Amino acid sequence: MTVEKLVYGGDGLARLEGRVVLSPFVLPGERIRVKAEKEKPGLIRGKTLEVLEPSGDRIAAPCPVFGRCGGCHYQHTSYDNQVTAKAAILVEELRRLGKIEPPEEIGVVTGEPWGYRNRVQLQVEKGKLGYLEMRSHKICAVTQCPIASPKINQVMEILSGMLHDPKWPKMVRSLELFTDETRVQLNVIETDRPIARRFFSWCTEKIPGLVDGALDYNAQFRVSRGSFFQVNRFLLEQLVAEAVDGAEGDRAFDLYAGVGLFAPALARRFGQVTAVESGSGAVRDLQFNAERAGLSNVHAEMRMVEEFLQEQARPADFVLLDPPRAGLGKAVVQRLAGLQPQKVALVACDPATLARDLAGLVAAGYGVKKITMFDLFPQTYHLEAVVLLDRG
């Protein structure tokens, strides 16, 4: 078959006898040979066996486990091509799923394409440390990862050596590393039984900069275990600046606020900021971060966003929403439309749910004024979008 285009999820799309065929690690225009792995009416998911006629845009992937490791999807083409493909995919998803015609020009913000990740999750099994293989539960062993930060790579190498020490607890199945390049937080994500305190003491001896408990990210944001924080260490300031661009007034809502990434910028522009977050640990971090920064006009609430909006009698001048991958959902969109804030900023990490949410807001009378794609996840199919909307 001949690949027509790249689609969200990292696959290339081709067609065979009226059916769509999706297969990874290919590029538009390439002739490929594919083995069918899953089939249903109208769709085949396959494994690329051979590229018979490679694209002129194909390059050699720098990572030796690319194609087996499930972490990256686009290392086989230049970074410029990756960004162009993602912008096209974002536009297509908005048109196809949201029936929305985006602005003529979509802004694109990029950063360093390598060494950007400040957080990774690693699998552990039978003396091996690494990521899951593509579409598999098998472990692809790695000691170095080109998209992870230098500190993450240093710790991965240390942990790989510790795995063969008798002190290593065999019940650990997965763990997470988070760093600001000076300090490191290690979280055990999955284990067959509780881990003894002496394991973490041993890790502190072996791993330079390991912290006990929360990580004070760049001495600006306390981030406890389980609290969400953006993974791209290079683009945080630009993401915040874009989300609050042109916003000002008396009252703002920061919804799905996390540990308060956007709160300082909002506090400088508004008389009162209400930051709403459902996670108890993240709310405690948010309160701590606001108090330490002297943001007396930031009020944190531990609530579900749906409940919070339901109880509001009057709108804020500006509402910023940074929901999880599942998006806002119908209830939040309806309540937001009912409150009718003048300006809304939506930060989204999934173009499909973004298209759905925007369709509801546009139907309620909002206009899409600006869309900016942030490539927070180079070498992968993931993307982030900041959409600014205005009533009327």
Side-chain angles (χ1 to χ4, degrees), residues 24-99:
F25 311 123
V26 296
L27 294 172
E30 292 187 330
R31 289 284 293 173
I32 59 173
R33 193 163 63 90
V34 173
K35 176 183 178 181
E37 293 191 322
K38 292 183 180 179
E39 297 188 46
K40 59 182 181 180
L43 178 66
I44 300 171
R45 286 196 174 274
K47 176 182 179 181
T48 305
L49 296 179
E50 186 179 1
V51 178
L52 303 170
E53 297 176 16
S55 164
D57 293 327
R58 179 173 284 274
I59 63 172
C63 180
V65 295
F66 176 71
R68 186 160 60 90
C69 172
C72 290
H73 314 91
Y74 289 157
Q75 287 192 26
H76 58 301
T77 192
S78 71
Y79 186 51
D80 286 345
N81 284 337
Q82 294 179 34
V83 173
T84 299
K86 289 185 185 184
I89 288 169
L90 174 59
V91 169
E92 181 181 14
E93 294 287 280
L94 293 177
R95 286 173 175 162
R96 183 174 64 88
L97 298 175
K99 304 298 185 284

Side-chain angles (χ1 to χ4, degrees), residues 48-293:
T48 305
L49 296 179
E50 186 179 1
V51 178
L52 303 170
E53 297 176 16
S55 164
D57 293 327
R58 179 173 284 274
I59 63 172
C63 180
V65 295
F66 176 71
R68 186 160 60 90
C69 172
C72 290
H73 314 91
Y74 289 157
Q75 287 192 26
H76 58 301
T77 192
S78 71
Y79 186 51
D80 286 345
N81 284 337
Q82 294 179 34
V83 173
T84 299
K86 289 185 185 184
I89 288 169
L90 174 59
V91 169
E92 181 181 14
E93 294 287 280
L94 293 177
R95 286 173 175 162
R96 183 174 64 88
L97 298 175
K99 304 298 185 284
I100 294 167
E101 188 58 37
E104 271 189 37
E105 185 176 341
I106 288 184
V108 175
V109 177
T110 62
E112 291 292 329
W114 304 102
Y116 63 87
R117 286 196 70 103
N118 60 26
R119 188 191 296 264
V120 299
Q121 286 194 8
L122 300 165
Q123 307 298 312
V124 183
E125 184 180 297
K126 297 179 180 177
K128 294 192 295 185
L129 180 80
Y131 303 123
L132 291 178
E133 292 186 1
M134 180 68 68
R135 297 174 184 169
S136 170
H137 294 292
K138 295 179 181 178
I139 290 182
C140 177
V142 295
T143 55
Q144 294 287 291
C145 173
I147 65 172
S149 76
K151 189 67 173 180
I152 292 282
N153 277 300
Q154 179 195 32
V155 178
M156 285 172 62
E157 193 165 350
I158 293 170
L159 288 173
S160 296
M162 293 171 66
L163 281 175
H164 304 288
D165 192 299
K167 295 179 184 177
W168 184 269
K170 305 301 181 186
M171 72 286 290
V172 173
R173 295 287 172 256
S174 65
L175 50 84
E176 178 185 71
L177 300 175
F178 177 48
T179 183
D180 64 356
E181 293 305 287
T182 301
R183 294 160 291 271
V184 182
Q185 184 185 78
L186 185 151
N187 304 318
V188 174
I189 303 299
E190 185 180 359
T191 177
D192 294 339
R193 60 179 185 271
I195 303 299
R197 182 67 191 172
R198 61 179 176 272
F199 168 69
F200 295 98
S201 299
W202 179 47
C203 289
T204 302
E205 295 172 8
K206 292 285 188 177
I207 300 172
L210 190 69
V211 298
D212 184 9
L215 176 72
D216 197 10
Y217 194 88
N218 289 343
Q220 187 178 6
F221 297 103
R222 189 182 77 178
V223 183
S224 296
R225 291 188 174 99
S227 294
F228 171 77
F229 199 76
Q230 292 287 357
V231 303
N232 190 308
R233 65 194 183 102
F234 297 123
L235 295 179
L236 290 176
E237 291 183 8
Q238 289 165 271
L239 180 69
V240 172
E242 184 62 30
V244 303
D245 184 36
E248 59 182 2
D250 295 326
R251 192 164 172 250
F253 294 159
D254 181 5
L255 307 182
Y256 310 95
V259 303
L261 176 63
F262 299 100
L266 289 172
R268 290 191 290 269
R269 293 165 174 262
F270 292 88
Q272 179 187 354
V273 177
T274 304
V276 180
E277 169 59 43
S278 62
S280 58
V283 169
R284 288 192 293 270
D285 289 339
L286 197 162
Q287 292 170 328
F288 176 89
N289 293 330
E291 290 172 6
R292 178 171 59 178

